[in-house]
Amino acid sequence: MPVPQKPPDAKPEIVSLHLDKTVVSAGETISGIVRTSSNVASVEARIATYSIDVPKVAPGKFAMSYPVPNLPFFLRHTYQMEVIARNTAGDETSTSIPITIR
């Protein structure tokens, strides 16, 4: 998939977001790939008040692999995982995807 080429100060773009699963249980690992425009410097994945930086593996490609922690029963439900892409100027764009924790 070609990476959209943009100047550094242009608005960042999330081209695609793919997760290997959207329903997970404690102890499982969830993996994903975020494809972006060339000017994206960082990607953050956020669920509720918890966030992680998604490592850059190539221009316009960010990949993560995260073990799902053991959560109390009252925290096991569907959340919106927000994915935020930022350029070096701090401009951002975001998208979200539902994640169910069982």
Side-chain angles (χ1 to χ4, degrees):
M1 172 180 283
V3 174
Q5 299 298 307
K6 291 193 171 191
D9 60 345
K11 181 174 172 77
E13 179 184 350
I14 296 173
V15 177
S16 67
L17 167 60
H18 172 76
L19 297 177
D20 65 342
K21 55 190 135 202
T22 57
V23 178
V24 294
S25 297
E28 291 183 334
T29 297
I30 186 169
S31 298
I33 295 176
V34 181
R35 301 250 182 208
T36 69
S37 53
S38 63
N39 64 329
V40 171
S42 67
V43 171
E44 174 189 0
R46 185 182 300 167
I47 295 178
T49 60
Y50 186 76
S51 73
I52 62 167
D53 292 324
V54 180
K56 187 175 195 174
V57 296
K61 183 178 180 183
F62 295 78
M64 64 160 222
S65 184
Y66 184 77
V68 178
N70 189 14
L71 298 173
F73 72 91
F74 57 86
L75 292 178
R76 296 179 188 179
H77 55 84
T78 300
Y79 295 88
Q80 287 295 318
M81 181 175 81
E82 184 178 18
V83 176
I84 305 158
R86 294 183 181 90
N87 64 13
T88 55
D91 299 323
E92 62 183 48
T93 190
S94 66
T95 189
S96 63
I97 186 170
I99 302 290
T100 301
I101 301 175
R102 292 187 179 174

